[in-house]
Amino acid sequence: MEEGGSGGSGGSGGSDSSTSGSGGAQQRELERMAEVLVTGEQLRLRLHEEKVIKDRRHHLKTYPNCFVAKELIDWLIEHKEASDRETAIKLMQKLADRGIIHHVCDEHKEFKDVKLFYRFRKDDGTFPLDNEVKAFMRGQRLYEKLMSPENTLLQPREEEGVKYERTFMASEFLDWLVQEGEATTRKEAEQLCHRLMEHGIIQHVSNKHPFVDSNLLYQFRMNFRRRRRLMELLSEKSPSSQETHDSPFCLRKQSHDNRKSTSFMSVSPSKEIKIVSAVRRSSMSSCGSSGYFSSSPTLSSSPPVLCNPKSVLKRPVTSEELLTPGAPYARKTFTIVGDAVGWGFVVRGSKPCHIQAVDPSGPAAAAGMKVCQFVVSVNGLNVLHVDYRTVSNLILTGPRTIVMEVMEELEC
């Protein structure tokens, strides 16, 4: 489905002189930089998940959170992110040129197909935070908060007879920024929106207006959640011109033509992505009574992870029962590093919440999470007496790495 104002129109600028000439070139450069940052971050999370990034020793010295260049090239080819070693080198050099990765001792500016240690700058705190990067990271954080299942600010709306998907009204967005503590006053919130617009993070739906406190509609120019392929880094064409608002890993309800079906379906990506086995980030609260999470039938015959609308618990359990001395429950703590599309589990219930479903290929399963476990705390905050919406919001608006304490019933 074509969606109006989906970023492709943003670079042209029509007759607006502010987006023509050097301004247009600067805008395209900001878009390219943003795409490289998102692509690099998605790769970093995948490499952490698959233990390609880890602590390594050389000459009695330990280098934390690094990878071996030669091994990474093998991995890229194996996972079809590069067709050959020469292409893989070019891809990683793109990330090095943007300051996303570097040699651990900064002795090699070129990425080489040898047994040298390299590291993502985000893993050692050396990533340069210039104004563009700060604006991008702020925009990405706001986007993630707005995409929370509990947030209803992004809606399909019409302006001048044209319907646009995932829009927000300027005045409502300013109210939300103040309410969420992203700004202390409406004036400060408006200044933030001007910066986001200057750096190409948001735009007017038809690219006709600057940001003003009004009923005008605006959109985010890019989908931060879309799964990027590394080969896009070598394309001269702006990725945003091809981008739609939906992602292979961001679920949406099927169109109104399929009202009889209550399942959620993932949007089909290119044939190169062979399988979408389950939902990750958007699974946190989205399944509820709507049925099952499913992978697209056009992708693979691999069975999807089911998010059963009925509770997986055999019987109701209270928080008091869990905390009773001698109760047959064991505490476990998991550290889960979210990947490019989330954490891979579904929370349901209330006082206490429980794990309703786990993606067997996701980060949560790798950490040891199982269905029927009860959620005790999230990042040190006790959640035994809240519902799943509160727990979901804590996770979705928090850091990528979450620490969860659960209680699991002991085997009889």
Side-chain angles (χ1 to χ4, degrees), residues 172-205:
E172 292 180 357
F173 188 50
L174 294 176
D175 292 336
W176 179 81
L177 288 171
V178 175
Q179 179 184 339
E180 290 293 310
E182 296 288 345
T184 55
T185 64
R186 287 183 69 83
K187 183 176 181 180
E188 183 181 323
E190 192 168 358
Q191 290 172 345
L192 170 59
C193 291
H194 286 306
R195 289 198 299 275
L196 293 176
M197 201 158 185
E198 288 169 6
H199 291 288
I201 308 298
I202 62 174
Q203 69 172 21
H204 177 251
V205 288

Coordinates of all heavy atoms in Angstrom, one line a residue, residues 172-205:
E172 N -0.9 18.9 19.2 CA -0.9 17.7 20.1 C 0.5 17.2 20.4 O 0.7 16.7 21.5 CB -1.8 16.6 19.4 CG -3.3 17.0 19.3 CD -4.1 15.8 18.7 OE1 -3.5 14.8 18.3 OE2 -5.3 16.0 18.6
F173 N 1.3 17.2 19.4 CA 2.7 16.7 19.6 C 3.4 17.6 20.6 O 4.2 17.1 21.5 CB 3.4 16.8 18.2 CG 4.8 16.1 18.3 CD1 5.0 14.8 18.8 CD2 5.9 16.8 17.8 CE1 6.2 14.2 18.8 CE2 7.2 16.2 17.8 CZ 7.3 14.9 18.3
L174 N 3.2 18.9 20.6 CA 3.8 19.8 21.5 C 3.3 19.5 23.0 O 4.1 19.5 23.9 CB 3.5 21.3 21.2 CG 4.2 21.8 19.9 CD1 3.7 23.2 19.6 CD2 5.7 21.7 19.9
D175 N 2.0 19.3 23.1 CA 1.4 18.9 24.4 C 2.1 17.6 24.9 O 2.4 17.5 26.1 CB -0.1 18.7 24.3 CG -0.8 19.9 24.0 OD1 -0.3 21.0 24.3 OD2 -2.0 19.9 23.4
W176 N 2.3 16.6 24.0 CA 2.8 15.3 24.4 C 4.3 15.5 24.8 O 4.7 14.9 25.8 CB 2.7 14.4 23.2 CG 3.3 13.0 23.5 CD1 2.7 12.0 24.1 CD2 4.6 12.6 23.1 NE1 3.5 10.9 24.1 CE2 4.7 11.2 23.5 CE3 5.7 13.1 22.4 CZ2 5.9 10.4 23.3 CZ3 6.8 12.4 22.2 CH2 6.9 11.1 22.6
L177 N 5.1 16.3 24.1 CA 6.5 16.5 24.5 C 6.6 17.1 25.9 O 7.5 16.7 26.7 CB 7.1 17.4 23.5 CG 7.4 16.9 22.1 CD1 7.9 18.0 21.1 CD2 8.4 15.7 22.1
V178 N 5.8 18.0 26.2 CA 5.8 18.6 27.6 C 5.3 17.6 28.6 O 5.9 17.4 29.7 CB 4.9 19.9 27.6 CG1 4.8 20.4 29.1 CG2 5.4 21.0 26.7
Q179 N 4.2 16.9 28.3 CA 3.7 15.9 29.2 C 4.7 14.8 29.5 O 4.8 14.3 30.6 CB 2.4 15.3 28.6 CG 1.8 14.2 29.4 CD 0.6 13.5 28.7 OE1 0.0 14.1 27.8 NE2 0.2 12.3 29.1
E180 N 5.5 14.4 28.5 CA 6.5 13.3 28.6 C 7.8 13.8 29.2 O 8.7 13.0 29.4 CB 6.8 12.6 27.3 CG 5.6 11.8 26.7 CD 5.3 10.6 27.5 OE1 6.3 9.8 27.8 OE2 4.2 10.4 27.9
G181 N 7.9 15.1 29.5 CA 9.1 15.6 30.1 C 10.3 15.8 29.1 O 11.4 16.0 29.4
E182 N 9.9 15.7 27.8 CA 10.9 16.0 26.7 C 11.2 17.4 26.6 O 12.2 17.8 26.0 CB 10.4 15.4 25.4 CG 10.3 13.9 25.4 CD 11.6 13.1 25.4 OE1 12.6 13.8 25.1 OE2 11.6 11.9 25.7
A183 N 10.3 18.3 27.1 CA 10.5 19.7 27.1 C 9.8 20.3 28.3 O 8.8 19.7 28.7 CB 10.0 20.3 25.8
T184 N 10.3 21.4 28.8 CA 9.6 21.9 30.0 C 8.5 22.9 29.7 O 7.6 23.1 30.5 CB 10.7 22.7 30.9 OG1 11.3 23.7 30.1 CG2 11.7 21.7 31.4
T185 N 8.6 23.5 28.5 CA 7.5 24.5 28.1 C 7.2 24.2 26.6 O 7.9 23.5 25.9 CB 8.0 25.9 28.2 OG1 9.1 26.1 27.3 CG2 8.5 26.2 29.6
R186 N 6.1 24.8 26.2 CA 5.7 24.6 24.8 C 6.7 25.3 23.9 O 6.9 24.8 22.8 CB 4.3 25.2 24.6 CG 3.1 24.3 25.1 CD 1.8 25.0 24.8 NE 1.5 24.9 23.4 CZ 1.0 23.8 22.8 NH1 0.7 22.7 23.5 NH2 0.7 23.8 21.5
K187 N 7.2 26.4 24.3 CA 8.2 27.1 23.5 C 9.4 26.2 23.3 O 10.0 26.1 22.2 CB 8.6 28.4 24.1 CG 9.6 29.2 23.3 CD 9.9 30.6 24.0 CE 10.8 31.4 23.1 NZ 11.1 32.7 23.7
E188 N 9.9 25.6 24.4 CA 11.0 24.7 24.3 C 10.7 23.5 23.4 O 11.5 23.0 22.6 CB 11.4 24.2 25.7 CG 12.7 23.3 25.7 CD 13.0 22.8 27.1 OE1 12.9 23.6 28.0 OE2 13.5 21.7 27.2
A189 N 9.5 23.0 23.5 CA 9.1 21.9 22.6 C 9.0 22.3 21.2 O 9.4 21.5 20.3 CB 7.7 21.4 23.1
E190 N 8.6 23.5 20.9 CA 8.5 24.0 19.5 C 9.9 24.1 19.0 O 10.2 23.8 17.8 CB 7.8 25.3 19.5 CG 7.4 25.7 18.0 CD 6.4 26.9 18.0 OE1 6.0 27.3 19.1 OE2 6.1 27.3 16.9
Q191 N 10.9 24.6 19.8 CA 12.3 24.7 19.4 C 12.8 23.4 19.0 O 13.6 23.2 18.1 CB 13.1 25.4 20.4 CG 12.8 26.9 20.6 CD 13.5 27.5 21.8 OE1 14.0 26.8 22.7 NE2 13.5 28.8 21.9
L192 N 12.5 22.3 19.8 CA 12.9 21.0 19.6 C 12.4 20.5 18.2 O 13.2 19.9 17.4 CB 12.5 20.0 20.7 CG 12.6 18.5 20.4 CD1 14.1 18.2 20.2 CD2 12.1 17.7 21.6
C193 N 11.2 20.8 17.9 CA 10.6 20.4 16.7 C 11.2 21.1 15.5 O 11.4 20.4 14.4 CB 9.1 20.6 16.7 SG 8.1 19.6 17.8
H194 N 11.6 22.3 15.7 CA 12.3 23.0 14.6 C 13.7 22.3 14.3 O 14.1 22.2 13.2 CB 12.6 24.5 15.0 CG 11.3 25.3 14.9 ND1 10.6 25.4 13.8 CD2 10.7 26.1 15.8 CE1 9.6 26.3 13.9 NE2 9.6 26.7 15.2
R195 N 14.4 21.9 15.4 CA 15.7 21.2 15.2 C 15.5 19.9 14.5 O 16.2 19.5 13.6 CB 16.3 21.0 16.6 CG 16.9 22.3 17.2 CD 17.9 22.0 18.3 NE 17.4 21.2 19.4 CZ 16.7 21.7 20.4 NH1 16.6 23.0 20.5 NH2 16.3 20.9 21.4
L196 N 14.4 19.2 14.9 CA 14.1 17.9 14.3 C 13.8 18.1 12.8 O 14.2 17.2 11.9 CB 12.9 17.2 15.0 CG 13.2 16.7 16.4 CD1 11.9 16.1 17.0 CD2 14.3 15.7 16.5
M197 N 13.2 19.1 12.5 CA 12.8 19.4 11.1 C 14.1 19.8 10.3 O 14.3 19.4 9.1 CB 11.7 20.5 11.0 CG 11.0 20.5 9.7 SD 9.4 21.3 9.9 CE 8.7 21.0 8.2
E198 N 14.9 20.7 10.9 CA 16.1 21.1 10.2 C 17.0 19.9 9.9 O 17.7 20.0 8.9 CB 16.9 22.1 11.1 CG 16.2 23.5 11.2 CD 16.8 24.3 12.3 OE1 17.8 23.9 12.9 OE2 16.3 25.4 12.6
H199 N 17.0 18.9 10.8 CA 17.9 17.8 10.6 C 17.2 16.6 9.9 O 17.8 15.5 9.8 CB 18.4 17.3 11.9 CG 19.4 18.2 12.6 ND1 20.7 18.4 12.1 CD2 19.3 19.1 13.6 CE1 21.3 19.3 12.9 NE2 20.4 19.7 13.8
G200 N 16.1 16.9 9.3 CA 15.4 15.9 8.4 C 14.8 14.8 9.2 O 14.6 13.7 8.6
I201 N 14.4 14.9 10.4 CA 13.8 13.9 11.2 C 12.3 13.8 11.0 O 11.7 12.8 10.8 CB 14.1 14.0 12.7 CG1 15.6 14.1 13.0 CG2 13.6 12.8 13.5 CD1 16.5 13.0 12.5
I202 N 11.7 15.0 11.0 CA 10.3 15.1 10.7 C 10.0 16.1 9.6 O 10.9 16.8 9.2 CB 9.5 15.6 12.0 CG1 9.9 17.0 12.4 CG2 9.7 14.6 13.1 CD1 9.1 17.6 13.5
Q203 N 8.8 16.1 9.0 CA 8.5 17.0 7.9 C 7.0 17.2 7.9 O 6.2 16.3 8.4 CB 8.9 16.4 6.6 CG 8.1 15.2 6.2 CD 8.4 14.7 4.7 OE1 9.4 15.1 4.2 NE2 7.5 14.0 4.1
H204 N 6.5 18.3 7.3 CA 5.1 18.4 7.0 C 4.7 17.4 6.0 O 5.5 17.0 5.1 CB 4.9 19.8 6.5 CG 3.4 20.1 6.1 ND1 3.0 20.2 4.8 CD2 2.3 20.2 6.8 CE1 1.7 20.4 4.7 NE2 1.3 20.4 6.0
V205 N 3.5 16.9 6.1 CA 3.1 15.7 5.3 C 3.2 15.9 3.8 O 3.6 15.0 3.0 CB 1.6 15.3 5.6 CG1 1.6 14.6 7.0 CG2 0.7 16.4 5.5

